[in-house]
């Protein structure tokens, strides 16, 4: 299987690049952020719990997120060519859990694409996105908190994949198509 972790701070283009990857490599896709927002919009208990964290720019607890990934992979068609993990793992605990779950299916993460974008550019992009996204966490105060959470809690995940020789740094500023070309070069080397 070709299993891709698409990684980077909020606003780095993970969702956009995932859409391109899904089409080109025919992969399944899981965005934990999208799943949580769906729970919120359908007023589930999990949605209420998620909202209390998301609106503050904090991470949703690991056990909740890992449970979601577990059930997604459990339901996955066994002929699937691979999966794009978008917005997950966001803690080292989640990265370890993902490895254990994938190993139980006799597979593992193939590559981690690390989209690199400076903080200032992220802020500009997310404030622009906030004007159309309707996302409750795309406001200046929450964006600052999300970037801080990324730097303290999520960045260490990079070292986890670096130690496994799976980290590919991608320049995340420039034309979407150019960034995608760089991504494809990295993926084609390992697939
Ligand atoms: P995203 O759409 O990926 O930007 O995620 C939006 C928000 O959902 C994040 O700021 C977190 O509050 C929550 N979230 C999404 N994915 C995760 C995850 N893997 N671990 C913890 N919280 C998450």
């Amino acid at each position: 299987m070709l299993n891709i972790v698409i990684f980077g701070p909020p606003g780095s283009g993970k969702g956009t690049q995932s859409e391109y990857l899904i089409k080109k490599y025919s992969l399944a896709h899981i965005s934990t952020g999208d799943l949580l927002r769906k729970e919120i919009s359908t007023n589930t208990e999990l949605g209420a719990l998620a909202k209390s964290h998301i609106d503050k720019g904090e991470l949703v607890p690991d056990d909740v997120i890992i449970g979601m990934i577990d059930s997604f992979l459990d339901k996955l068609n066994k002929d699937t060519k691979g999966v794009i993990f978008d917005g997950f793992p966001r803690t080292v605990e989640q990265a370890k859990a993902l490895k254990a779950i994938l190993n139980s299916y006799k597979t593992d993460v193939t590559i981690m694409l690390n989209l690199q974008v400076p903080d200032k550019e992220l802020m500009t992009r997310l404030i622009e996105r906030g004007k159309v996204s309707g996302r409750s966490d795309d406001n200046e105060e929450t964006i600052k908190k999300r970037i801080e959470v990324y730097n303290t809690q999520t960045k260490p995940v990079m070292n986890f994949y670096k130690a496994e020789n799976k980290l590919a740094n991608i320049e995340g500023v420039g034309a979407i198509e150019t960034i995608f070309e760089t991504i494809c070069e990295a993926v084609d080397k390992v697939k």
Side-chain angles (χ1 to χ4, degrees), residues 32-34 36-37 53-54 58-60 65 87-88 90 94 135 137 146:
T32 42
D34 285 351
L36 293 169
R37 281 184 289 278
H53 295 281
I54 291 176
E58 292 167 357
L59 295 183
V60 172
I65 300 288
F88 173 88
R90 259 176 156 99
Q94 292 179 17
R135 275 179 58 164
D137 57 349
R146 285 159 64 203

Side-chain angles (χ1 to χ4, degrees), residues 14 24 27 35-36 44 51 57 88 166 168 174 179:
K14 298 187 291 291
K24 173 152 178 169
L27 301 172
L35 282 185
L36 293 169
T44 64
K51 189 169 167 52
F88 173 88
K166 290 179 179 166
I179 299 168

